[in-house]
Amino acid sequence: EALDGGPLARLHDGDLVRVDAVAGTLDVLTPGVLERPNVRPDLVANGYGTGRELFAIFRDHVGAAEAGATPFF
């Protein structure tokens, strides 16, 4: 979701969010977060180390969150 430019991509460290597992909602409490420009993060350095390369195939093929975020379909 964040890599596709969704709202999670606009969150920064320190932003306040409220997660309600019962209602199934995530609310951004920090003003102005959703108005921030959409910047695609550079994740080139995150592909290797601590076994991350073993799961690269899953990261490369995972589907959208709305479809279950699975790499199998």
Side-chain angles (χ1 to χ4, degrees):
E1 189 271 340
L3 283 177
D4 288 337
L8 288 178
R10 293 176 172 87
L11 288 174
H12 296 170
D13 288 347
D15 288 341
L16 297 177
V17 296
R18 176 180 30 229
V19 178
D20 186 335
V22 174
T25 60
L26 186 144
D27 300 310
V28 179
L29 304 177
T30 302
V33 169
L34 298 179
E35 288 77 36
R36 290 178 182 159
N38 185 9
V39 177
R40 189 171 178 98
D42 180 13
L43 302 177
V44 173
N46 291 352
Y48 296 96
T50 318
R52 290 188 55 85
E53 58 275 4
L54 299 172
F55 298 99
I57 187 104
F58 294 107
R59 287 192 306 276
D60 293 341
H61 294 93
V62 70
E66 293 82 13
T70 179
F72 301 115
F73 300 108

